[in-house]
Structure formats: C-alpha cells, structure tokens
Amino acid sequence: VIFAYEEITASTFFIIGVAIALYVNAFISHKYIGLASQYQPSGKDATYIFPTYLLNPTSIALYRGLLLNGIGLYAAWLSIAQCLNIGLLIAYPLKGNQYTASIVALSVFAVIVVLYLFLDFYYLRSWLAYTYTPYAVLLWALSAIATNPMTGEHALKGATAVLVYILLGISAVATVAKIVFGILYVSDMKMSDQQQVNSEMDTTATTYNKMDDI
C-alpha cells in the first residue's frame, strides 16, 4: 500500500523491517526442526525446547513441506523486493544514478545470496536440508531479469549484466547441488537411523543374554 502511493522511502524501510522479522522467524522455525530431529527421549519428565507436535513424523513432514518451505518462499521473494526498493530509493528520492542504483541493489542481493548459501551448505546444513523454495525464487527472478533487452533505456548492460549472469549461474549450480546433496543427506540420515536401531537391538540382545546367564 505504501509503495502504491509512491512513498518509496517509507516503503523501503518498511519492507526491510518486515524482511528482518521474517529472517528471525525463519531462523527460529528452522531451529525447532533441527532440535526436534536431534532429540533423544529421556523419560516422561523430559523437557522440550521445541513444539511437542514435532515429535510426530507426519507433523515433521508437514512442517518441513509447508511451513519451512513457505517461509523460505516468502523470505526469498521479500529479499528481492527489498533490494529493488533500495535501488529505487537511491535512484529517485536520493536522485542518484540509475546505473549505480542497480549496482548497489544487485550487490546487496549478492551478499544475501552468498550468506544464505553458506548457511545452507555448511553452517546450518541440518536445519535447511529440506528447504528448497528459495532456489526456485532465485532462478525465476534472475531468469526474468536476464531476459531484459541489451539495448535501450532499461537495458541490461555492463556490470549489472555481469552481476545478474554470475548470480544466475551460481543459483543454477547451487540448485543442482542442493538436490544432489539433499538426496545424499536423506540417504545418510536413513543409514544413521538404521545403524542406531541395530545398535539398540544389539544392546537389548546383550542384556537378555546376560540375564539368561544369571
């Protein structure tokens, strides 16, 4: 609504605030699923630092598929929107050069993308393993930008074109890597769960054997 009335400055700060709030929400939501996936039962008096409905496998699947991917979709779209607003703020209320505004907006977006890839593929890997929607948004948005004409007033040229194509290439490679590593991650988790079950069965069998010996 603020943007519709051409209040670019107000809308820029508003959307940045909403984006920050959404990033915090995404962190907490993914933190819960990370804690739930690592939870080990410790008796009926156990304390939970995540919603107890995440103890149910069906709830976990729905939580990952709908909530986490829904937040990821909205956060990715909002990241693009806030960078667009930053560019508009520089170009119009601040009366800056449009080319410079585009460079700044794309640079901010590049930082966000690189930071997210670091979190997804390394620092918060287990939390983000099932969140795929940001990559779909990245590919869609950057592909749309890359189709801009190469000539004319709104041409995609120079450093802006280089940044867009680099980001598009990184996003494409990251998407493929996300799918491949996702499959490997699920396989490793299933193998780990099976090994844990086998270990528990072996422990139980050993206990029974000792009781029989007594």
Side-chain angles (χ1 to χ4, degrees), residues 38-107:
Q38 298 171 0
Y39 172 74
Q40 297 292 331
S42 57
K44 64 178 181 179
D45 296 326
T47 57
Y48 304 100
I49 51 178
F50 56 86
T52 54
Y53 58 76
L54 290 179
L55 294 172
N56 183 284
T58 302
S59 297
I60 290 178
L62 291 173
Y63 188 90
R64 284 171 170 161
L66 300 178
L67 181 65
L68 298 186
N69 276 283
I71 292 175
L73 179 71
Y74 188 35
W77 175 85
L78 207 57
S79 297
I80 295 170
Q82 73 175 343
C83 292
L84 175 62
N85 269 50
I86 289 172
L88 292 173
L89 176 67
I90 295 172
Y92 295 104
L94 299 181
K95 301 186 184 303
N97 181 273
Q98 290 189 10
Y99 185 74
T100 302
S102 299
I103 293 294
V104 172
L106 284 170
S107 298

Side-chain angles (χ1 to χ4, degrees), residues 103-125:
I103 293 294
V104 172
L106 284 170
S107 298
V108 173
F109 186 59
V111 170
I112 294 173
V113 170
V114 171
L115 178 60
Y116 181 77
L117 292 179
F118 168 74
L119 294 175
D120 192 0
F121 285 95
Y122 177 69
Y123 194 67
L124 299 178
R125 180 68 186 123

Side-chain angles (χ1 to χ4, degrees), residues 132-145:
Y132 287 85
T133 48
Y135 295 91
V137 175
L138 282 178
L139 290 176
W140 172 78
L142 292 170
S143 297
I145 296 172

